[in-house]
Amino acid sequence: MTQRQWACTMLAATVTCSVLISAPVRAQVHRLDDGLARTPPMGWNTWNKFACNVSERLIRETADAIVSSGMRDAGYRYVVIDDCWQVYRDTAGTIVADPQRFPSGMKALADYIHSKGLLFGIYTDAGTATCQGRPGTHDHEEQDARTYAAWGVDYVKEDWCNARGLTARAQYKKFHDALVATGRPIVLSICEWGSNRPWDWAPGTGHLWRTTDDISDNWASMLYNYDLSAMHQDVAGPGGWNDPDMLEVGNGGMTDDEYRAHLALWAIAAAPLIAGNDVRTMSAATRDILTNREVLAVDQDSLGEQGWLAEQPAPGLQLWVKPLEDGSRAVALLNRSGAEAQMSVDWKAIGLLPGRAAVRDLWAHADRGTFAAGYGAAVPSHAVLMLKVTPVKGH
Ligand code: GLA
């Protein structure tokens, strides 16, 4: 990745730059090609806000709110119940949902979610028990996959607690094969926290794979996970995505500027966008961040490139770039420092040929004009300026 950046910067004034900007390594990565996750999955998950406090009521109310808030129509489709929905296995070994918390059962809940135009996701663990001590899927892979398919599950997140002695690559492959055998299209979210180098094997096994430990609702944690995921930029693409963990937008630990930066960076990274807030009670500001269609379009761009760090002109001041299908570039000018800073993007640094380009500010929803060689503006501390830069034809 680094080589590619520098080659591009050095050769930016020559016609070869746009050739260099396409990733040579990507072609050698065999990602799943089953029609699922052609763009990064979008949805909502219980864990970041509700932890073990899950119930059918929460899921139904949240599904309703995902629709009424406009999140569904903005692209958030998978409604995922994380850990703690399961209580034991019955005498036949079938996994049982908590009858107190899910009195209507999972099939009815899936039907409800589907009736809203949404998709249904569930959590399990490759080991003997989940991270919260509920039954894991080890030695029940085929049986659990069949159960989930019968319920109408569309997405499974598989965790890695209590898996001592197991090999991640083999276990996830086993579960992937079990899901395929059901005949139902089901997204597999691999969640072993980047601990077994998933970027080396997960692209052929799952549709997304965690590259990091769990995110926390603060600026440092968010950036830490983003930086780790950025190291594996070259393996991501349609069918398989690096996952720096779910969104914290709206959970209260960051400012709105920081949450805008969080979403912008996840979009530049072509990361899965799994919201983790209380959608039923979110503020208008949170809703507006989560449903900014111009930023979401960067994440969902069909080219499926994960962006990279193009420049760091000073400590804490970074220029991130992601090429888009239409030949334009999404740019994030990220100010990680403690003070406002003047920041700029030079067309050379983002692999554009010399000539005028139109600049649109994706958070302000405003065209800034066309510029011959670059664009600059002040960026507040702990904030991002997110732009779309489109070469103007004939210039
Ligand atoms: C792990 C995962 C989290 C969440 C919890 C649930 O920590 O990484 O995303 O699923 O388990 O127990």
Side-chain angles (χ1 to χ4, degrees), residues 16-199:
T16 51
C17 187
S18 53
V19 174
L20 280 167
I21 209 113
S22 66
V25 184
R26 283 177 85 215
Q28 292 158 23
V29 177
H30 296 291
R31 289 179 291 272
L32 293 176
D33 190 11
D34 54 11
L36 296 170
R38 304 310 295 166
T39 61
M42 292 176 64
W44 176 86
N45 173 298
T46 49
W47 183 254
N48 281 357
K49 176 70 182 177
F50 298 97
C52 270
N53 197 15
V54 293
S55 68
E56 112 186 1
R57 184 170 171 198
L58 169 69
I59 303 303
R60 283 172 178 253
E61 288 178 359
T62 301
D64 293 346
I66 287 172
V67 175
S68 62
S69 64
M71 280 179 68
R72 178 195 64 187
D73 292 345
Y76 296 88
R77 284 292 157 93
Y78 293 99
V79 177
V80 184
I81 312 175
D82 209 283
D83 208 345
C84 302
W85 62 265
Q86 61 286 73
V87 278
Y88 54 81
R89 291 186 184 277
D90 66 16
T91 49
T94 306
I95 191 104
V96 176
D98 186 330
Q100 256 84 53
R101 291 176 173 271
F102 297 90
S104 312
M106 288 302 182
K107 174 77 173 76
L109 190 51
D111 289 346
Y112 185 78
I113 288 169
H114 291 151
S115 78
K116 297 273 158 184
L118 296 166
L119 296 161
F120 182 44
I122 213 159
Y123 163 102
T124 189
D125 186 288
T128 51
T130 73
C131 296
Q132 305 304 316
R134 308 305 174 93
T137 204
H138 184 235
D139 274 346
H140 292 273
E141 287 84 0
E142 286 80 14
Q143 185 176 22
D144 284 353
R146 283 195 300 272
T147 302
Y148 298 156
W151 285 346
V153 166
D154 306 294
Y155 178 115
V156 180
K157 169 177 171 181
E158 190 182 22
D159 215 338
W160 190 238
C161 280
N162 304 299
R164 204 168 306 132
L166 301 178
T167 304
R169 186 177 188 144
Q171 288 308 125
Y172 285 102
K173 171 85 167 56
K174 191 171 183 188
F175 196 63
H176 166 258
D177 292 349
L179 291 176
V180 170
T182 69
R184 185 177 174 85
I186 300 176
V187 167
L188 175 58
S189 163
I190 293 176
C191 179
E192 51 73 85
W193 325 303
S195 54
N196 298 274
R197 301 186 58 82
W199 38 88

